[in-house]
Amino acid sequence: MTSKKKWLSLLVSLSVVSTLFVGCGSKDDASSTPKDEGNKESSTNTGTEGTKEATGPVDGGTLTYGSFSDIVSVNPLFVQDTASGDAAEFMYAKLYDINRTGEVVAEPWSIAAEPMTISEDGLTYTIKLKDSAKWSDGEAITADDVVFTFNSIKDPKVGSPGMSGFDKVTKIEKVDDLTVKITLKQVYAPFQYVLSTQIVPEHILKDVKPEELQKNVYGTDPAKTVSSGPWVWKEWKQKQYLSFERNPNYWGPKPHIDKIVYKIYADQNTEVQALIKGDVDLLGGIPVTQVDAVKSRDGLTVIQEPGPQYEYLGFNFNPDNFKDKFVPWAGQKTRQAIAYALNRQGMIDNVLKGTGKLMNAPFLPGSWADPGDAAVNYAFDPEKAKQLLAEDGWTAGSDGILTKDGHRFSFELQYNSGNSRREQVASVIQQNLKDVGIEVVPKALDFAAWVDQNLTPGKYPAILMGWSLNNPDPDGETTFSSKYFPPAGQNQGFYKNEKLDKLWEEGTAVVDQEKRKEIYKQIGQEISTDLPYVFMYQYGTPTAYNSSKVKFAEEDAPESSLAYGYFFHLINWWVDAK
């Protein structure tokens, strides 16, 4: 699923696409949410440690990063979970990068040599590549790689979650070895940000059938995964660790850090203890309940600022996921009743300790697309919930649980194991819905298996999950449009609303931000009325690091408003082994 101050200042020409990542890795599993603009929280226990040092950067050493989720695959064609995205950040260069103020730029470590050229009619994008860029096996990165990557994402047989950004593309052409021209069939306001993406090697994957790319060993076998970034993947011990070493064929600015270890722990509390003990140098997200304990430790620094994440209770509408194909929340009033039954503010106050912010639509509060009062707000009102359930045909059974057409209102609520926040919120949901006659059975699942077996194919009844926005644009077509059912999109709940399908398309067909704002206002009103999700709250991911060891210049400090912002400019960081 963004700091308000960043995106409000974006130029109209820099509208961006909201490619979504399943926010379940350590980045997305902390419990802190943005404050109002100008009211950022940042706690540093060691003065200026962690910022620019008088002695300057030093080369060598190991950075250890902690997570409680293992990866699924680091193949950029298929990354849609936070853990895999974390690992990919070390291994791959992006075509373009996003800077601290939310602009698409060609950095020294970007594959692109210069800003993209956009035709006057907004339909043609020309990209120039650096002539120095290489794959980790020494092969040059060329236009062939870009064309292959984008055509693969575009191909429905491949099943890439990034497909929605490319289905407006009519042609991807190699002009010469270092030039690519992309032609759109319509104006697509977010397309610049679609191009802030990682590329795969054509010379490695060109002979793999499109339908077999997802199961190919590329992305799961370190020895067979050629990459383009500062570090190469050396080892993967599942559910234990991944290791990365400096890429000897890296073509960009030399990284200072020799080795990165991605350690996997059983849960959030265990990884925080590892940080406190010194076994971990950096955590991309810590539970809000642990923030004070970490702050109190000498040498540890916590950065607690707004983040681009929101959490939701997601409904599945595919009858195949239910006994007798009976979807209990097929009625709109039932979905609205569930929203009224949930004490969302209570979750913020008691689980998130006041650090969350209520949401009623999939647009971050305070962003330019925030629909404000146009979106329906579901205040905690159990009596209203009971009324709506009765109107939708539900009656109390002998055990107090509601029934309808011979079906008992009981469902499984899935979430990822090890996430202490979701465990507590699932418990609140269970009690809140029991109070109105609905039985909830919470079920915690191993994250990697959950993504592969349930989320990606859309096989679940209901989920408690979060989206982490890959960039600041409000476009949510790939998540909510019926064009993007699994496996060719991220509408994992098989939600269909023809009015919204049309509005999502309209929202990206113009570049004028005021016109787009009016469209997203309509989307906010419709989606909050129809409820494919119960939108819960915006939250953030406090970053914690060992400031006596982890060093960076001020301009390279972590940026909480960006996806993977806890690795912002990591190539310029260094570690002090003293």
Side-chain angles (χ1 to χ4, degrees):
M1 259 111 48
T2 12
S3 176
K4 300 180 288 252
K5 61 184 175 63
K6 308 292 185 190
W7 317 140
L8 285 170
S9 65
L10 285 179
L11 299 175
V12 171
S13 63
L14 289 177
S15 296
V16 295
V17 64
S18 290
T19 300
L20 298 171
F21 281 74
V22 177
C24 302
S26 57
K27 171 167 97 62
D28 187 25
D29 289 301
S31 304
S32 178
T33 321
K35 304 295 180 183
D36 290 338
E37 183 179 346
N39 191 28
K40 297 190 292 184
E41 292 183 13
S42 180
S43 173
T44 305
N45 300 316
T46 52
T48 59
E49 284 188 343
T51 59
K52 195 170 185 178
E53 298 287 315
T55 55
V58 295
D59 292 343
T62 299
L63 175 73
T64 302
Y65 177 75
S67 172
F68 67 92
S69 294
D70 205 346
I71 66 166
V72 179
S73 169
V74 297
N75 184 335
L77 297 176
F78 304 107
V79 169
Q80 61 175 332
D81 64 279
T82 305
S84 300
D86 283 343
E89 286 290 304
F90 310 140
M91 299 169 54
Y92 292 96
K94 292 185 176 72
L95 188 58
Y96 289 94
D97 283 88
I98 300 176
N99 68 15
R100 198 181 293 278
T101 57
E103 299 170 298
V104 177
V105 293
E107 298 279 17
W109 46 84
S110 304
I111 296 172
E114 60 189 46
M116 66 191 77
T117 302
I118 306 174
S119 64
E120 191 172 338
D121 63 6
L123 296 178
T124 303
Y125 290 69
T126 303
I127 303 164
K128 295 281 188 179
L129 309 182
K130 289 185 174 75
D131 59 8
S132 58
K134 294 181 180 179
W135 294 104
S136 56
D137 61 0
E139 290 287 324
I141 298 175
T142 71
D144 291 324
D145 299 304
V146 177
V147 172
F148 175 81
T149 299
F150 290 169
N151 277 329
S152 296
I153 294 173
K154 190 172 179 287
D155 187 348
K157 292 180 183 177
V158 174
S160 172
M163 180 183 176
S164 66
F166 287 91
D167 63 0
K168 285 84 175 171
V169 173
T170 58
K171 191 163 30 174
I172 304 166
E173 301 173 86
K174 172 185 174 180
V175 178
D176 57 45
D177 282 349
L178 297 175
T179 310
V180 176
K181 185 169 75 171
I182 302 172
T183 305
L184 307 185
K185 59 187 174 184
Q186 65 190 63
V187 172
Y188 184 55
F191 194 66
Q192 287 196 52
Y193 279 67
V194 175
L195 298 177
S196 175
T197 190
Q198 295 156 342
I199 305 300
V200 296
E202 185 256 2
H203 68 285
I204 298 293
L205 298 174
K206 64 181 178 180
D207 294 327
V208 181
K209 293 179 180 179
E211 59 272 23
E212 295 175 0
L213 277 168
Q214 191 162 6
K215 297 299 182 183
N216 190 267
V217 294
Y218 183 86
T220 57
D221 183 346
K224 297 181 179 179
T225 304
V226 172
S227 57
S228 57
W231 298 275
V232 292
W233 192 16
K234 300 299 290 186
E235 192 176 11
W236 181 21
K237 294 289 186 182
Q238 292 190 16
K239 301 188 188 305
Q240 296 181 49
Y241 67 87
L242 296 86
S243 66
F244 307 85
E245 294 180 4
R246 196 199 303 254
N247 178 0
N249 287 316
Y250 184 58
W251 44 273
K254 180 183 176 182
H256 301 299
I257 297 170
D258 273 347
K259 184 175 182 179
I260 296 175
V261 176
Y262 184 103
K263 294 189 73 172
I264 302 161
Y265 292 89
D267 52 45
Q268 288 177 300
N269 291 330
T270 307
E271 66 178 3
V272 170
Q273 289 306 308
L275 175 72
I276 291 173
K277 288 190 296 183
D279 294 337
V280 167
D281 306 316
L282 173 70
L283 286 181
I286 58 175
V288 67
T289 53
Q290 298 275 15
V291 168
D292 288 341
V294 175
K295 285 181 180 179
S296 68
R297 300 284 177 154
D298 289 340
L300 297 183
T301 295
V302 176
I303 301 174
Q304 193 173 354
E305 297 182 9
Q309 299 91 18
Y310 72 84
E311 198 136 78
Y312 64 90
L313 189 164
F315 302 115
N316 200 309
F317 296 89
N318 186 348
D320 293 338
N321 287 305
F322 300 90
K323 183 180 179 182
D324 301 327
K325 298 186 182 297
F326 178 80
V327 181
W329 34 72
Q332 186 187 85
K333 287 186 177 181
T334 292
R335 301 192 296 276
Q336 292 173 345
I338 290 173
Y340 278 117
L342 297 183
N343 188 356
R344 297 181 299 151
Q345 187 61 52
M347 297 173 195
I348 291 172
D349 294 341
N350 299 311
V351 179
L352 275 67
K353 306 302 180 186
T355 60
K357 196 162 189 176
L358 285 175
M359 286 183 60
N360 297 311
F363 309 118
L364 295 184
S367 67
W368 65 262
D370 181 2
D373 293 340
V376 180
N377 178 51
Y378 295 89
F380 179 47
D381 191 342
E383 294 308 311
K384 178 71 172 177
K386 292 176 184 177
Q387 174 193 331
L388 288 169
L389 288 164
E391 291 176 4
D392 212 19
W394 293 96
T395 58
S398 59
D399 61 354
I401 300 302
L402 297 173
T403 63
K404 181 180 181 180
D405 300 332
H407 297 276
R408 193 166 173 270
F409 204 158
S410 177
F411 68 90
E412 180 179 274
L413 177 64
Q414 298 179 1
Y415 63 95
N416 55 310
S417 58
N419 187 314
S420 60
R421 182 190 67 255
R422 288 191 186 134
E423 181 179 349
Q424 294 176 69
V425 169
S427 218
V428 175
I429 291 173
Q430 182 182 38
Q431 184 59 55
N432 285 167
L433 294 187
K434 180 181 179 182
D435 291 342
V436 299
I438 301 171
E439 181 179 69
V440 177
V441 182
K443 185 173 184 179
L445 298 169
D446 172 74
F447 176 64
W450 188 41
V451 170
D452 187 50
Q453 298 170 21
N454 301 94
L455 298 183
T456 299
K459 293 181 179 179
Y460 58 84
I463 53 176
L464 176 61
M465 199 174 74
W467 282 122
S468 176
L469 300 184
N470 197 33
N471 62 66
D473 193 82
D475 178 35
E477 186 179 25
T478 187
T479 315
F480 298 106
S481 171
S482 61
K483 292 195 300 182
Y484 300 109
F485 289 161
Q490 293 179 305
N491 185 350
Q492 298 159 333
F494 295 89
Y495 172 68
K496 184 172 183 178
N497 181 315
E498 292 179 358
K499 179 179 179 180
L500 281 172
D501 286 354
K502 183 179 179 182
L503 285 170
W504 286 119
E505 290 182 359
E506 291 176 358
T508 59
V510 294
V511 296
D512 183 273
Q513 188 166 291
E514 287 304 309
K515 291 180 180 178
R516 294 189 75 199
K517 185 175 181 179
E518 285 303 308
I519 295 169
Y520 292 118
K521 185 176 180 180
Q522 294 178 57
I523 290 175
Q525 185 175 49
E526 176 65 21
I527 205 167
S528 63
T529 300
D530 203 39
L531 292 181
Y533 296 169
V534 175
F535 299 97
M536 309 282 274
Y537 40 75
Q538 180 190 15
Y539 66 101
T541 55
T543 295
Y545 64 94
N546 181 341
S547 49
S548 63
K549 179 179 179 181
V550 179
K551 307 293 181 180
F552 43 77
E554 186 176 356
E555 60 267 25
D556 300 318
E559 177 53 56
S560 299
S561 68
L562 299 177
Y564 306 103
Y566 39 87
F567 299 140
F568 188 71
H569 289 186
L570 182 63
I571 193 171
N572 293 333
W573 294 15
W574 68 97
V575 293
D576 188 344
K578 291 186 296 183

